[in-house]
């Protein structure tokens, strides 16, 4: 039977790969890479570098799949994403049927860890549910951007015995930050923290974590929000894209 590894590759630094991930890489015949267009070529490149660096004495094939665009005509966000997943599932299924032999092993290298704001496992569920192409699935965990953020700022995410929320910039901008004393915000890049400036918060911010271009800033949100926004703007112009993650910490009462 075909086997497919979903390998968490860590959030940006090739040295975030685990020993388990390296062992898995060395069993793979075909890597499937979703190509998200020119702006994200760096992310495709890192996947290629990881293969070159860690795979020893073994030939493997790379199959690039052009990532479909989300249909902006569909106004409901969830429906739009569902439609996009359905298209990606069909493309991946076709690529696996065409390029992966019956007893071969394929892999998808997922940024960070596949459990966190990533659609790969949902897409594979769709393929499995169709039951047209049978495959065995194994998931190898990776280091998330959240763990990288905490390590680079040398902080614990939670206060003793307290909850931590992980959410998106869109949720924060919509006023849905929640009541947890600490909140990790992902998928932002547009300064959603502006909408919580009325609260007494500290921020631990990181962009391009683990990469050469890494930028770290921390302090009182009200004092450094402008500096973070300027940094985002400058880096987006220099590099064409930005990925940032941050922890918001409510001041103790
Ligand atoms: C689609 S999600 C993928 C998350 C990924 N699965 C993980 O485990 O970190 C992309 C978001 O993750 C965060 N992110 C991923 N890599 C990052 C990095 N190297 N530096 C800062 N943020 C990062 C950003 O918030 C970005 O908008």
């Amino acid at each position: 039977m075909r086997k497919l590894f979903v390998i968490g590759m860590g959030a940006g630094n090739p040295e975030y790969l685990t020993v388990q991930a390296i062992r898995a890489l060395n069993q793979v015949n075909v890597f499937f890479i979703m190509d998200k267009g020119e702006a994200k070529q760096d992310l495709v490149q890192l996947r290629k570098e990881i293969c070159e660096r860690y795979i020893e004495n073994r030939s493997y094939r790379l199959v690039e799949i052009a990532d479909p665009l989300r249909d902006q005509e569909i106004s409901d966000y969830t429906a739009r994403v569902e439609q996009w997943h359905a298209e990606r599932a069909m493309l991946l299924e076709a690529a696996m049927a065409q390029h992966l032999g019956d007893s071969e092993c394929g892999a998808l290298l997922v940024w960070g860890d596949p459990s966190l704001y990533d659609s790969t496992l949902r897409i594979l569920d769709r393929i499995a549910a169709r039951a047209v192409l049978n495959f065995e699935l194994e998931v190898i965990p990776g280091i998330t951007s959240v763990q990288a953020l905490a390590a680079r700022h040398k902080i614990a995410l939670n206060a003793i015995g307290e909850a931590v929320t992980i959410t998106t910039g869109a949720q924060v901008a919509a006023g849905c930050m929640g009541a947890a004393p600490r909140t990790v915000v992902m998928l932002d890049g547009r300064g959603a923290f502006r909408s919580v400036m009325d609260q007494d918060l500290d921020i631990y911010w990181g962009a391009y974590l683990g990469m050469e271009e890494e930028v770290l800033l921390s302090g009182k949100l009200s004092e450094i929000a402008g500096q973070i926004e300027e940094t985002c703007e400058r880096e987006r112009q220099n590099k064409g894209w930005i990925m940032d993650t941050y922890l918001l910490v409510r001041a103790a009462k």
Side-chain angles (χ1 to χ4, degrees):
M1 199 204 262
R2 292 177 174 94
K3 172 154 185 172
L4 190 72
F5 280 113
V6 171
I7 303 174
M9 59 186 268
N13 187 321
E15 297 196 351
Y16 287 165
L17 249 85
T18 65
V19 175
Q20 192 185 27
I22 294 170
R23 287 222 177 95
L25 288 179
N26 278 282
Q27 297 173 47
V28 173
N29 304 102
V30 186
F31 289 91
F32 296 96
I33 299 180
M34 283 281 180
D35 186 343
K36 292 177 193 263
E38 265 179 34
K40 295 282 171 81
Q41 272 311 305
D42 298 0
L43 309 189
V44 171
Q45 194 49 38
L46 184 65
R47 286 172 169 82
K48 292 182 180 167
E49 271 172 45
I50 283 175
C51 292
E52 280 163 25
R53 181 159 169 178
Y54 291 114
I55 298 176
E56 292 174 38
N57 308 323
R58 189 181 165 85
S59 64
Y60 56 88
R61 311 187 296 278
L62 295 177
V63 172
E64 291 189 30
I65 305 168
D67 206 5
L69 294 175
R70 297 185 201 194
D71 185 349
Q72 300 302 334
E73 300 282 298
I74 306 174
S75 56
D76 178 67
Y77 177 77
T78 308
R80 189 161 67 234
V81 172
E82 294 268 353
Q83 162 64 23
W84 181 55
H85 286 179
E87 272 186 61
R88 295 178 107 198
M90 296 310 290
L91 288 171
L92 180 58
E93 185 187 270
M96 282 167 64
Q98 188 185 345
H99 297 284
L100 195 61
D102 276 346
S103 55
E104 283 194 314
C105 180
L108 290 155
L109 285 171
V110 172
W111 197 264
D113 183 80
S115 67
L116 191 64
Y117 292 117
D118 186 88
S119 54
T120 307
L121 296 177
R122 271 184 266 272
I123 287 166
L124 292 172
D125 280 348
R126 282 177 182 269
I127 298 177
R130 279 167 46 80
V132 173
L133 187 91
N134 293 323
F135 59 94
E136 182 199 341
L137 175 64
E138 187 170 341
V139 179
I140 311 284
I143 292 179
T144 66
S145 48
V146 179
Q147 291 161 291
L149 177 80
R152 297 297 293 135
H153 279 288
K154 308 182 183 86
I155 48 167
L157 290 176
N158 63 291
I160 299 170
E162 298 278 6
V164 183
T165 298
I166 301 179
T167 189
T168 65
Q171 289 288 333
V172 173
C176 307
M177 188 163 104
R182 295 179 180 215
T183 304
V184 177
V185 185
M186 302 176 70
L187 292 161
D188 185 1
R190 300 276 165 194
F193 45 75
R194 274 279 159 208
S195 54
V196 288
M197 292 286 283
D198 55 335
Q199 303 181 32
D200 189 4
L201 296 166
D202 287 334
I203 185 167
Y204 295 86
W205 182 86
Y208 313 109
L209 291 156
M211 304 170 77
E212 271 174 24
E213 305 83 345
E214 182 181 86
V215 196
L216 300 172
L217 291 168
S218 62
K220 280 242 160 277
L221 177 61
S222 53
E223 288 166 14
I224 67 165
Q227 191 187 351
I228 295 175
E229 282 169 332
E230 280 163 28
T231 309
C232 277
E233 201 38 52
R234 191 183 59 236
E235 297 298 328
R236 189 180 288 108
Q237 293 206 349
N238 285 345
K239 208 167 158 58
W241 56 274
I242 187 162
M243 280 203 293
D244 68 337
T245 301
Y246 51 92
L247 175 70
L248 295 172
V249 178
R250 289 186 206 281
K253 289 188 183 141

